[in-house]
Amino acid sequence: MAFSADELRVLRRALASALHPAPLADEDVQDCLRLADSVDEAVREAGRLRTFLLADLARYREALPGSAAGYLELLQDALAAGYDPRPEDLAALRTLRGHPVGAAVLRRCQTLAEHSVRARLAGRAVRTGSRAPASAPTPRTRLHALPGGRAAEEPKPQQKPREKPQQEPQPKAPAPGERPVPKPSEVFPPRRKPVPPPEQLAAG
């Protein structure tokens, strides 16, 4: 993309205004808008040309080997424009190894393809960071029980208190003015042996 002298002056004024903000005249604003429209149109035109070039390259590739000269010329123009050679281009160039230009273009495309693969792998490595590979063995560690945790939260079974032996109830002292309860021996006195009359004792 090339700018004319007038477009470069407009671009310079726009950059100066971006670095040192100041009110612009209406004419300067219109020049900046026209320059932006021109840049957008150039970008769109470049996209259209690239699409046309790739479609033309595919047609010449399908017509090989009769279209070898045209294919090699188009491929070199595409490479100069930043085209990344595809696997089908490498396969087509291998059939043109006997052509001196074809052999040179094949070496160039192989180098570009190798750089592209390395760049993609490097990008993946940067995205993954320091993530360890899944197949790496992890060191075995012996687990030890630590204080606390779930076992500490579980309530321990409470021990039942030992039951004291039952003691016989002690007789309560009678309250003043209250008759004491008689004992069984007092209610039913023990029977005494009958004493023989004195006559039997004298006869014996």
Side-chain angles (χ1 to χ4, degrees), residues 15-154:
L15 292 175
S17 177
L19 294 174
H20 305 285
L24 293 175
D26 294 340
E27 183 180 357
D28 293 337
V29 173
Q30 294 299 325
D31 290 341
C32 291
L33 292 176
R34 282 192 293 268
L35 179 59
D37 292 339
S38 299
V39 172
D40 292 341
E41 180 60 28
V43 171
R44 288 191 293 268
E45 182 65 22
R48 288 192 293 267
L49 289 176
R50 179 180 177 84
T51 302
F52 175 79
L53 177 60
L54 294 181
D56 208 11
L57 181 64
R59 286 193 296 268
Y60 273 80
R61 185 172 57 237
E62 293 174 358
L64 288 174
S67 60
Y71 171 71
L72 292 174
E73 183 179 355
L74 287 174
L75 181 57
Q76 292 181 82
D77 293 342
L79 294 175
Y83 174 68
D84 193 8
R86 299 175 181 176
E88 49 267 29
D89 294 315
L90 296 175
L93 289 172
R94 291 189 185 98
T95 63
L96 301 175
R97 287 177 178 175
H99 198 286
V101 179
V105 176
L106 175 60
R107 288 192 297 269
R108 181 181 177 186
C109 288
Q110 287 175 339
T111 303
L112 291 175
E114 184 179 354
H115 289 334
S116 178
V117 171
R118 288 181 178 178
R120 285 196 297 268
L121 293 177
R124 291 177 183 176
V126 171
R127 287 194 297 269
T128 54
S130 59
R131 187 181 300 172
S135 60
T138 55
R140 295 184 178 180
T141 56
R142 183 172 298 177
L143 300 177
H144 299 279
L146 298 177
R150 187 174 179 181
E153 298 176 359
E154 295 180 356

Side-chain angles (χ1 to χ4, degrees), residues 9 28 92 117 148 187 193:
R9 283 193 291 269
D28 293 337
V117 171
V187 176
K193 294 181 180 182

Side-chain angles (χ1 to χ4, degrees), residues 179-191:
R179 290 185 63 184
V181 179
K183 296 180 179 180
S185 58
E186 295 177 353
V187 176
F188 304 100
R191 294 180 180 181

